[in-house]
Amino acid sequence: MRHYKCLKNQRFEQNEFALIPLRDEDILKIRAWRNEQMTILRQNEYITEEMQLNYFKSQVVPNFDASQPKQVLFSYLKNNELVGYGGLVHFNWLDKRAEVSFLLDTKFTNDTIVHDFFFENYLYLIQKVAFEDLILLRLHTEVYDTRKHHIDILEKCGFRFEGRLREHIFIGGKMVDSILHGKLNREYKS
């Protein structure tokens, strides 16, 4: 198993859920999910197997040994089975902030109750990583306004609405707004 130099802990657990550093064996599953869910991602083209492996080697692996990585990605497990992935991306180490990233296995995305339960547990864990282990001061998210239930879970978990980027992205033949949320470390502690 790979380890992140920047983390004191390498496994974060909540009930049957866990976050562990992104595993090599999960890379191609993640590629499939990304290709199946392009409308919710900042991804404009299908990712080939070669592209995914090259990205992992050049953009993910170097972060494991960095004291201030560009991104910290995790395999998200339920009862030790991969159900998603995500992490902290677009770090600004000077200001101690990062963006939350999350993608669930496509087979769970059509059941809102399951999706929301998995996402809520993920948010609990990623906040432990960010606010307790890395001692970040702020987390932020960007979600397309087509994902109302996703936004509801962010707000249920204490992420505050911070803005709307109007007609920010082209999805399904129309322009869609991006919704911005944030959470501060001091709000997490309370």
Side-chain angles (χ1 to χ4, degrees), residues 9-179:
N9 301 296
Q10 301 297 317
R11 184 178 182 95
F12 300 85
E13 295 180 296
Q14 158 84 356
N15 300 322
E16 68 268 34
F17 293 97
L19 288 178
I20 60 171
L22 188 61
R23 303 180 298 192
D24 294 38
E25 64 261 30
D26 298 333
I27 299 306
L28 295 180
K29 289 179 187 171
I30 290 166
R31 177 189 78 89
W33 302 341
R34 290 190 65 90
N35 286 339
E36 293 162 353
Q37 299 179 58
M38 284 177 47
T39 59
I40 64 168
L41 300 171
R42 295 180 201 132
Q43 176 182 326
N44 298 322
E45 63 181 356
Y46 282 94
I47 301 169
T48 66
E49 187 172 318
E50 181 182 3
M51 290 165 70
Q52 181 76 343
L53 294 173
N54 286 338
Y55 179 82
F56 183 73
K57 182 179 177 183
S58 67
Q59 302 298 315
V60 176
V61 170
N63 290 293
F64 288 107
D65 293 326
S67 56
Q68 293 186 336
K70 294 178 182 176
Q71 57 186 351
V72 176
L73 298 176
F74 296 96
S75 296
Y76 181 43
L77 311 175
K78 181 176 187 274
N79 297 321
N80 290 315
E81 295 292 323
L82 183 71
V83 295
Y85 96 106
L88 302 169
V89 299
H90 306 296
F91 273 94
N92 179 317
W93 287 99
L94 178 64
D95 298 323
K96 295 188 166 210
R97 69 175 184 254
E99 181 178 358
V100 175
S101 172
F102 175 72
L103 189 67
L104 192 59
D105 182 334
T106 308
K107 70 183 176 189
F108 300 118
T109 59
N110 289 328
D111 185 330
T112 304
I113 293 170
V114 171
H115 170 276
D116 293 355
F117 179 67
F118 283 24
F119 186 40
E120 190 171 339
N121 279 279
Y122 173 81
L123 287 172
Y124 173 84
L125 291 170
I126 203 66
Q127 289 179 87
K128 282 183 69 106
V129 174
F131 293 139
E132 294 180 22
D133 197 299
L134 293 172
I135 318 298
L136 297 180
L137 298 177
R138 174 178 164 67
L139 292 177
H140 58 96
T141 67
E142 178 183 347
V143 178
Y144 305 139
D145 76 352
T146 56
R147 305 185 72 205
K148 304 292 188 210
H149 65 281
H150 201 78
I151 292 166
D152 290 344
I153 295 303
L154 281 169
E155 292 175 355
K156 178 181 178 184
C157 292
F159 284 77
R160 294 185 185 180
F161 173 80
E162 294 186 335
R164 175 181 297 271
L165 302 174
R166 297 175 302 134
E167 297 184 12
H168 191 66
I169 189 155
F170 193 73
I171 298 175
K174 67 177 186 169
M175 294 305 294
V176 173
D177 296 353
S178 281
I179 308 300

